[in-house]
Amino acid sequence: MSLNTISTQPFDGQRPGTSGLRKKVKVFQQPHYLANFVQATFDSIGDFSGQTLVVGGDGRYFNREAIQIIIKMAAANGFAKVLVGQGGILSTPAASCVIRKYKAFGGLILSASHNPAGPDEDFGIKYNIGSGGPAPEAVTEAIFERTSDISHYLIAQCPDIDLDKQGSFELAGMQVEVIDPVTDYADLMQSLFDFDAIRELLAGEFSMVFDAMHAVTGPYGKTIIEGILQAPVGTVINAEPKEDFGGGHPDPNLTYAHELVDILYGDNAPAFGAASDGDGDRNMVLGDHFFVTPSDSLAVMAANATLVPGYKDGISGVARSMPTSAAADRVAAALGIDCFETPTGWKFFGNLMDAGRVTLCGEESFGTGSDHVREKDGLWAVLFWLNILAVRKESVASILNDHWQRFGRNYYSRHDYEGVDSAAAEQVLQNVRDQFTTLPGTELAGRLIKTCDDFAYTDPVDGSISKNQGVRILFEDGSRIIFRLSGTGTSGATIRVYLESYEADSDKHGLDAQDALADMITAADAISKLRQLSGRDKPTVIT
Ligand code: G16
């Protein structure tokens, strides 16, 4: 067995986005493309000799090939051990759990999240640090810098590891341990939630459906929901992870999780429905004919956290990404705890959790999580809700109505325009920026504009500054219109428009969000010329 040094040349565009490097599979399949990025990562993360690396992915097309390359490069670069999920599978939160539990140096997670999978679709890779969280910007920037002057990489020349067999193997002097991808994660969940109470709930009248969308949470849902919690077989649907996610788009929202939505809005709907995404970190929660926005979900969890054993002593603080609605802020104020507003991207929560400043975090993009790991966690959120439902013994709708009664309702919606020409998308944001000085003090959608800005964030823990994180129009009454370009797409640009309006009067809490926000939607278009510039007369996705 030999360790080879392979000559290579830099590829353009290997800058990690909101959540790692995401490109078409065909881009990753170019000779040296993946290896360059992996070597640049290894060159940028410090001294890991003698340490452990965790590797796993969401099972999408090219997962297995990528893992074989990474394991051989880890051996050649001096890691002592690689922990890899059986079949190459580790959900993103499970990878975070394994990194933390076994005190690994870090991990490489292979996923393009909810983006479709298959030979012509997407692939992705990201590096997570020893805390289990996504590498902070300083590290991702260092990796990017390295990709632009890389000249060689190191790789062991040896046969592939059998990823389907659990056990410990030797590869070029390095130990490779193939682990069950679910066990450690399931143990962690049992330490946080009242499984007896949830089991009792599921044994009664209550019924639920969990849609794994042919992606990574299938085995996790089967083991935890149908196995340990003894829900009826068939509760977890689309449970077999497929390399192409069954040709679907495993993004748990009202558009792409339509199979689940149809069940929850159909006749004899179950009391609870949930879905997770490609890599298991996102979640959508539904009641019988009822959709819980991710922003409200975070707020309800924060308000009910002490009902859950793992959080019974209270939460230290809450954090939400800037475009997420301010519903959680109101709960934090009532609890007398801090609420932090960070840029989009789970990596921004890491420092706050490590410093003990926040326990719960959430994003409008169907992400919620806590300091039990350093990723958002889809199945954890589902279990959190089940624990609340088991204790309160009320419907999802009744819990939300009660919540709005107490805190008021933040009407909220996100409109996405996908696959827009990049220059046109930039112009949409620029059109709003051009009015930053003239808009404040004027009225829009019947509301007085207080201020406009490009959101910037100073990390309260390490002082790092992140600029240009979204164009904001902030109104005197707390309403907001925000424009942002997605950092996770792989073709063209995606414009996201976030709309929020607060309603204190409980007589007005029963509206459909699109109706409640109709004047803001019209105003957002008028001010940015969004539809004209994008050539679209309506959003691709509304959540
Ligand atoms: C990633 C990030 C999230 C972010 C989401 C959407 O999620 O981890 O923090 O909110 O993308 O980002 P953008 O609006 O830039 O597309 P995931 O589930 O794709 O890893």
Side-chain angles (χ1 to χ4, degrees):
M1 237 173 305
S2 60
L3 301 179
N4 279 8
T5 302
I6 309 287
S7 293
T8 187
Q9 287 188 342
F11 289 91
D12 283 341
Q14 289 198 322
R15 173 177 257 133
T18 307
S19 188
L21 183 68
R22 291 184 188 171
K23 301 280 179 197
K24 291 289 172 203
V25 166
K26 294 228 156 38
V27 174
F28 270 102
Q29 283 174 324
Q30 298 172 85
H32 313 307
Y33 189 90
L34 172 72
N36 274 18
F37 187 79
V38 172
Q39 188 65 52
T41 302
F42 290 164
D43 289 348
S44 310
I45 55 178
D47 181 11
F48 49 75
S49 51
Q51 305 260 6
T52 298
L53 180 73
V54 172
V55 183
D58 60 16
R60 68 176 59 229
Y61 187 84
F62 197 55
N63 193 45
R64 284 170 177 268
E65 293 88 325
I67 287 177
Q68 298 293 353
I69 293 170
I70 291 167
I71 292 176
K72 290 172 191 174
M73 290 185 67
N77 277 276
F79 275 100
K81 181 173 177 177
V82 162
L83 281 173
V84 58
Q86 186 178 12
I89 295 284
L90 276 178
S91 77
T92 294
S96 183
C97 159
V98 170
I99 293 170
R100 292 168 68 78
K101 182 167 178 176
Y102 297 102
K103 303 197 169 21
F105 189 83
L108 283 169
I109 303 178
L110 308 170
S111 170
S113 188
H114 53 285
N115 293 7
D120 297 317
E121 299 295 354
D122 293 354
F123 191 76
I125 177 168
K126 69 171 178 173
Y127 177 68
N128 278 29
I129 57 176
S131 70
E137 269 190 338
V139 176
T140 55
E141 278 304 298
I143 294 171
F144 172 62
E145 290 296 319
R146 187 73 185 114
T147 62
S148 53
D149 63 9
I150 191 161
S151 59
H152 66 274
Y153 61 86
L154 305 177
I155 188 162
Q157 292 300 310
C158 55
D160 286 354
I161 279 284
D162 181 357
L163 289 173
D164 294 313
K165 205 159 111 198
Q166 282 181 38
S168 209
F169 309 94
E170 195 249 315
L171 182 139
M174 183 184 77
Q175 189 193 352
V176 179
E177 200 174 329
V178 180
I179 59 170
D180 180 87
V182 180
T183 305
D184 294 309
Y185 179 81
D187 288 349
L188 179 60
M189 293 302 109
Q190 289 180 88
S191 74
L192 295 172
F193 300 111
D194 186 343
F195 269 49
D196 288 336
I198 301 173
R199 211 176 281 122
E200 204 177 305
L201 174 77
L202 292 168
E205 298 274 284
F206 182 89
S207 61
M208 68 167 285
V209 176
F210 176 76
D211 188 353
M213 303 187 84
H214 294 299
V216 80
T217 48
Y220 294 85
K222 279 273 176 197
T223 300
I224 295 172
I225 298 174
E226 292 185 9
I228 305 171
L229 289 170
Q230 294 166 15
V233 173
T235 299
V236 181
I237 60 171
N238 301 317
E240 192 195 332
K242 297 196 174 152
E243 283 206 330
D244 67 349
F245 297 150
H249 190 155
D251 196 357
N253 61 40
L254 294 173
T255 302
Y256 294 122
H258 48 83
E259 186 177 344
L260 180 76
V261 173
D262 289 348
I263 295 171
L264 270 293
Y265 282 83
D267 295 338
N268 302 317
F272 183 67
S276 191
D277 70 330
D279 63 329
D281 58 0
R282 298 187 177 199
N283 76 91
M284 175 169 70
V285 166
L286 300 165
D288 179 353
H289 290 78
F290 198 94
F291 166 61
V292 184
T293 70
S295 298
D296 277 344
S297 182
L298 173 66
V300 169
M301 286 179 176
N304 291 275
T306 53
L307 303 180
V308 178
Y311 309 88
K312 67 175 184 337
D313 297 330
I315 52 177
S316 60
V318 189
R320 64 166 173 85
S321 66
M322 179 275 287
T324 304
S325 97
D329 303 38
R330 297 179 183 278
V331 177
L335 294 175
I337 57 174
D338 283 336
C339 182
F340 296 88
E341 184 177 44
T342 61
T344 294
W346 204 261
K347 61 190 171 205
F348 293 102
F349 295 136
N351 278 348
L352 295 170
M353 288 193 269
D354 289 346
R357 308 269 299 259
V358 301
T359 307
L360 297 185
C361 308
E363 294 188 277
E364 48 65 39
S365 54
F366 295 84
T368 15
S370 86
D371 58 2
H372 67 291
V373 291
R374 291 294 182 277
E375 288 281 359
K376 56 187 184 274
D377 190 342
L379 206 43
W380 166 90
V382 174
L383 294 168
F384 202 115
W385 265 94
L386 285 171
N387 203 145
I388 293 173
L389 291 165
V391 175
R392 289 191 51 169
K393 300 184 181 11
E394 291 168 64
S395 69
V396 172
S398 137
I399 288 173
L400 261 296
N401 285 319
D402 174 64
H403 186 91
W404 294 333
Q405 187 93 33
R406 268 179 80 193
F407 298 102
R409 179 171 179 184
N410 289 70
Y411 278 107
Y412 184 82
S413 186
R414 186 178 99 186
H415 288 199
D416 294 342
Y417 294 77
E418 295 176 348
V420 174
D421 170 74
S422 296
E426 287 290 350
Q427 188 58 48
V428 168
L429 269 65
Q430 193 54 44
N431 284 348
V432 184
R433 280 196 196 99
D434 289 344
Q435 300 168 74
F436 273 3
T437 51
T438 51
L439 283 174
T442 64
E443 277 211 356
L444 190 68
R447 298 161 170 87
L448 189 60
I449 298 177
K450 187 176 170 191
T451 168
C452 306
D453 64 7
D454 260 305
F455 179 63
Y457 176 67
T458 303
D459 186 303
V461 179
D462 67 15
S464 58
I465 297 170
S466 304
K467 293 186 175 159
N468 298 321
Q469 299 292 331
V471 167
R472 308 194 295 178
I473 301 173
L474 307 174
F475 296 83
E476 285 288 353
D477 68 356
S479 302
R480 304 188 300 164
I481 300 176
I482 296 150
F483 298 86
R484 234 191 107 247
L485 299 186
S486 161
T488 56
T490 54
S491 42
T494 294
I495 306 169
R496 304 205 196 281
V497 187
Y498 310 84
L499 305 136
E500 177 178 4
S501 169
Y502 179 68
E503 180 56 70
D505 182 352
S506 57
D507 288 343
K508 297 181 184 160
H509 286 165
L511 296 178
D512 178 82
Q514 302 309 314
D515 295 336
L517 295 165
D519 52 353
M520 308 264 293
I521 294 166
T522 309
D525 182 45
I527 212 152
S528 64
K529 305 220 171 3
L530 170 61
R531 292 184 186 196
Q532 183 192 324
L533 280 162
S534 67
R536 307 284 169 78
D537 61 357
K538 61 176 184 336
T540 329
V541 176
I542 295 179
T543 47

